[in-house]
Amino acid sequence: MKVNLKDNKKWAAEERRRIKRRGIILTSVILLSAAVFTGMVRYRCWYLENGRYYPHIILEDMPATGEPVVYAYEGFDNVVKSPSLPFTMLMAGEVLSDHEEYCIFWYQDTYYVIAETEAETVCMLKDLILPALGADVTGSTCFNVQEGYLNSRHVEIECITFALGDRGNLYSVNYRLLLPTGRDIVIEGISADMNVDEVCRNVEKIFYSIREIVPQKEGKTTVIDFEAVGDEPADSIIGNITVHVDGNGEFPMDQDFLPEGTLQSEIQSN
């Protein structure tokens, strides 16, 4: 039997090169992982700090010609009446709070608020709505603030993130219908989840259901046409006086549910 033995010095040199290559590979993997982790952290900070998780809502500079179009979406069958302003909206979900200036609904794990206010949106949420929900706000940041026209209505759009200390954040999407009366109508969706795309869609559905109640001359009625969206359409008849939505009851903002067929003219504000 013939056995070939390597020179000890040659073997030691090859072993050192092998160890060096392993060290280089291990160091490269560590540096690459650190770079990826740092990049992810920096991107997340940039993503959070700039509110990139909020959808961008396109507004028009001028109102379109014609009257606003009113939509009734499937499932949105609670009629909410503004206390002192001549507007109604359609809302879905369960009523949690019925205040003289606002009402709060719970729908798809999200709070939805319809309010009539003079205060700035962020102040109203921080000082009135969130405390009513038991939230202790420690700070807030506004994103995507813009003013313009949507569905021929003058609006202000604002997305606000509220910090709750060590309890995390709340994320809100807010549509404000700007009116010349000094009081505006604010529609808000508030979620503990950063993914607010569905929240934004639902707030938009409420906004597109806004209907203005126009006083009619005695004995005169007008039928209003609107587009119903969904498998089960809702109807609005006898122009701006009686609202009948798919056989469901009506809910004014400042009263209990009213029987089906209640006249809008019979709804008294607080």
Side-chain angles (χ1 to χ4, degrees):
M1 180 182 292
K2 184 178 180 180
V3 179
N4 293 323
L5 298 175
K6 289 185 178 180
D7 180 80
N8 189 52
K9 291 182 178 179
K10 186 177 180 180
W11 176 86
E14 290 179 353
E15 191 65 22
R16 284 194 297 270
R17 286 195 294 270
R18 188 179 299 110
I19 294 173
K20 185 177 181 180
R21 285 196 297 270
R22 285 201 297 262
I24 292 174
I25 294 173
L26 181 60
T27 302
S28 299
V29 170
I30 293 174
L31 292 176
L32 180 61
S33 300
V36 170
F37 177 77
T38 302
M40 290 176 62
V41 170
R42 292 183 63 182
Y43 175 78
R44 181 171 176 81
C45 291
W46 172 84
Y47 185 78
L48 293 174
E49 290 175 357
N50 292 277
R52 298 293 179 175
Y53 42 87
Y54 287 114
H56 181 67
I57 303 161
I58 299 176
L59 300 180
E60 301 292 338
D61 294 330
M62 296 294 292
T65 57
E67 295 296 321
V69 180
V70 180
Y71 294 93
Y73 289 86
E74 182 181 5
F76 286 69
D77 47 22
N78 294 327
V79 180
V80 181
K81 167 68 175 64
S82 181
S84 65
L85 298 172
F87 293 94
T88 62
M89 288 135 281
L90 297 178
M91 184 57 216
E94 176 187 358
V95 182
L96 296 184
S97 179
D98 178 17
H99 192 269
E100 61 181 6
E101 294 182 350
Y102 64 84
C103 62
I104 303 175
F105 285 79
W106 177 251
Y107 179 62
Q108 295 181 341
D109 297 327
T110 302
Y111 294 106
Y112 291 94
V113 181
I114 300 176
E116 180 183 315
T117 183
E118 298 176 359
E120 294 183 3
T121 301
V122 63
C123 295
M124 186 199 64
L125 277 168
K126 186 188 299 182
D127 300 336
L128 187 63
I129 303 300
L130 294 182
L133 297 174
D136 184 16
V137 179
T138 59
S140 62
T141 308
C142 299
F143 301 101
N144 299 352
V145 181
Q146 53 181 329
E147 182 178 335
Y149 291 86
L150 184 64
N151 193 27
S152 297
R153 299 189 189 275
H154 190 194
V155 298
E156 180 184 74
I157 305 294
E158 189 171 7
C159 300
I160 310 170
T161 299
F162 293 95
L164 305 180
D166 57 359
R167 296 178 58 191
N169 296 330
L170 289 177
Y171 307 93
S172 68
V173 177
N174 308 276
Y175 282 41
R176 186 172 189 133
L177 176 61
L178 300 174
L179 301 168
T181 60
R183 296 182 68 83
D184 300 327
I185 292 177
V186 182
I187 304 169
E188 303 154 337
I190 306 170
S191 175
D193 190 339
M194 189 184 299
N195 184 4
V196 294
D197 288 343
E198 187 65 25
V199 175
C200 185
R201 282 191 287 268
N202 288 332
V203 170
E204 187 175 89
K205 289 178 181 179
I206 302 170
F207 173 80
Y208 271 89
S209 75
I210 293 177
R211 181 189 307 282
E212 184 174 3
I213 304 171
V214 180
Q216 302 288 330
K217 294 181 180 180
E218 185 176 356
K220 181 179 179 181
T221 61
T222 305
V223 177
I224 298 177
D225 296 325
F226 68 96
E227 182 175 348
V229 181
D231 296 332
E232 298 181 7
D235 297 323
S236 178
I237 56 176
I238 320 180
N240 287 331
I241 297 179
T242 301
V243 178
H244 177 201
V245 184
D246 195 24
N248 292 281
E250 301 174 13
F251 182 72
M253 182 181 294
D254 54 343
Q255 293 183 7
D256 295 330
F257 280 104
L258 297 181
E260 178 182 339
T262 300
L263 296 182
Q264 290 284 9
S265 59
E266 294 176 359
I267 299 175
Q268 301 297 325
S269 60
N270 286 334

